[in-house]
């Protein structure tokens, strides 16, 4: 399978960020073939991580952001690696559990993981808040070449475990009120996944909520990523 073909499949499956990442890689390397995927897993073979430019990295770090590389890991690969999940319902959705995170560095600000007053909002309203936040990054900090987005479910899942390993800080844990980050990943009907409630003794929880309805525990948690060309 070529990168272009994989991009098309991801768009058909609703994995917009995965498709956009494939587009970036195709622009860098051309429509090269991907290694064959064996068995029933639909996970993407390892590809190069898209990273922040040095100046953007410097300014993000100075602004208090933690930068981590997401490496295409899924709920399934993380479970296989022994990472704890409190939620179990997703075992009945193998394609969801096999959905991989973006192949990119991401930055989050632990001092403001959630956008203020973004809970109780619909997904569309939260997307608009993140769009304005993204525009503000360039105005306030003059950080070029980055954008803020609402990520997919596996982005926040891998981020939570990666940040814990790197810092000892449990994103979405007690310090953060056990609140959830809304994602753009559809689960069923009008629901999208959310990630949070990271208990030390129970693990991370993946849940879901109606995209057109707000919830007091479900916030917009912007991920700052390298801006697509």
């Amino acid at each position: 399978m070529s990168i272009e073909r994989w991009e098309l499949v991801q768009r058909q499956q609703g994995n917009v960020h995965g498709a956009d990442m494939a587009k970036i890689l195709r622009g860098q390397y051309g429509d090269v073939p991907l290694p064959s995927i064996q068995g029933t897993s639909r996970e993407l073979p390892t590809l190069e991580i898209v990273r922040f430019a040095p100046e953007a990295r410097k300014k993000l770090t100075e602004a208090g952001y933690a930068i981590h590389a997401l490496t295409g890991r899924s709920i399934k690969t993380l479970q296989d690696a022994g990472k704890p999940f409190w939620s179990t319902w997703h075992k009945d959705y193998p394609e969801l559990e096999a959905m991989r995170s973006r192949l990119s560095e991401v930055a989050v600000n632990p001092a403001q993981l959630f956008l203020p007053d973004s809970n109780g909002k619909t997904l569309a309203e939260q997307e608009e808040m993140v769009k304005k936040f993204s525009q503000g990054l360039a105005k306030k900090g003059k950080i070029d070449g980055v954008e803020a987005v609402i990520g997919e479910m596996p982005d926040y899942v891998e981020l939570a475990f990666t940040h814990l390993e790197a810092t000892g800080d449990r994103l979405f844990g007690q310090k953060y009120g056990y609140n959830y980050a809304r994602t753009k990943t559809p689960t069923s009907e009008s629901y999208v996944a959310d990630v949070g409630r990271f208990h030390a003794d129970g693990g991370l929880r993946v849940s879901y909520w109606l995209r057109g309805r707000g919830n007091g525990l479900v916030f917009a948690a912007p991920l700052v990523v390298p801006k697509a060309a």
Side-chain angles (χ1 to χ4, degrees):
M1 178 184 293
S2 68
I3 290 182
E4 183 176 21
R5 174 59 181 164
W6 191 85
E7 176 188 349
L8 176 61
V9 170
Q10 297 315 298
R11 292 198 189 282
Q12 291 173 338
Q13 294 178 348
N15 183 7
V16 177
H17 289 304
D20 288 345
M21 188 60 62
K23 183 177 180 180
I24 292 172
L25 292 169
R26 185 157 53 86
Q28 291 177 336
Y29 304 110
D31 190 25
V32 299
L34 297 173
S36 298
I37 302 176
Q38 302 297 327
T40 58
S41 173
R42 295 188 177 184
E43 298 196 291
L44 180 66
T46 301
L47 294 173
E48 185 175 344
I49 305 298
V50 178
R51 300 190 181 276
F52 290 109
E55 184 63 19
R57 173 186 296 277
K58 179 176 181 291
K59 290 185 176 181
L60 286 168
T61 302
E62 290 174 346
Y65 282 81
I67 298 175
H68 300 293
L70 300 186
T71 59
R73 300 170 83 183
S74 65
I75 290 179
K76 184 179 185 304
T77 56
L78 288 164
Q79 285 177 324
D80 290 346
K83 304 302 182 186
F85 285 83
W86 184 90
S87 53
T88 60
W89 63 270
H90 36 77
K91 69 181 182 349
D92 295 325
Y93 298 86
E95 289 192 0
L96 187 68
E97 285 203 335
M99 184 177 178
R100 295 182 69 146
S101 67
R102 65 181 64 223
L103 296 164
S104 171
E105 287 186 323
V106 301
V108 291
N109 186 351
Q112 190 178 303
L113 181 61
F114 305 113
L115 290 186
D117 301 320
S118 62
N119 58 326
K121 302 287 196 302
T122 67
L123 173 59
E125 290 170 334
Q126 290 171 331
E127 287 180 308
E128 186 61 29
M129 293 181 73
V130 171
K131 180 180 179 181
K132 291 180 179 178
F133 174 78
S134 184
Q135 294 168 346
L137 285 174
K139 293 178 181 179
K140 295 178 182 179
K142 297 182 180 179
I143 305 176
D144 296 324
V146 304
E147 61 182 340
V149 300
I150 292 180
E152 299 285 356
M153 174 272 296
D155 297 334
Y156 293 99
V157 168
E158 183 176 3
L159 173 64
F161 289 113
T162 299
H163 186 77
L164 177 61
E165 291 173 357
T167 68
D169 180 30
R170 196 178 302 275
L171 294 179
F172 316 119
Q174 183 177 18
K175 176 180 173 181
Y176 303 92
Y178 294 118
N179 289 310
Y180 293 84
R182 174 95 75 166
T183 84
K184 297 177 68 173
T185 303
T187 55
S188 61
E189 299 177 350
S190 296
Y191 290 86
V192 291
D194 44 67
V195 177
R197 207 166 184 82
F198 198 175
H199 279 274
D201 59 352
L204 184 66
R205 179 171 180 173
V206 177
S207 188
Y208 48 87
W209 190 252
L210 288 164
R211 68 176 66 233
R213 183 178 298 178
N215 184 308
L217 299 177
V218 180
F219 289 74
L223 301 179
V224 178
V225 299
K227 190 172 184 178

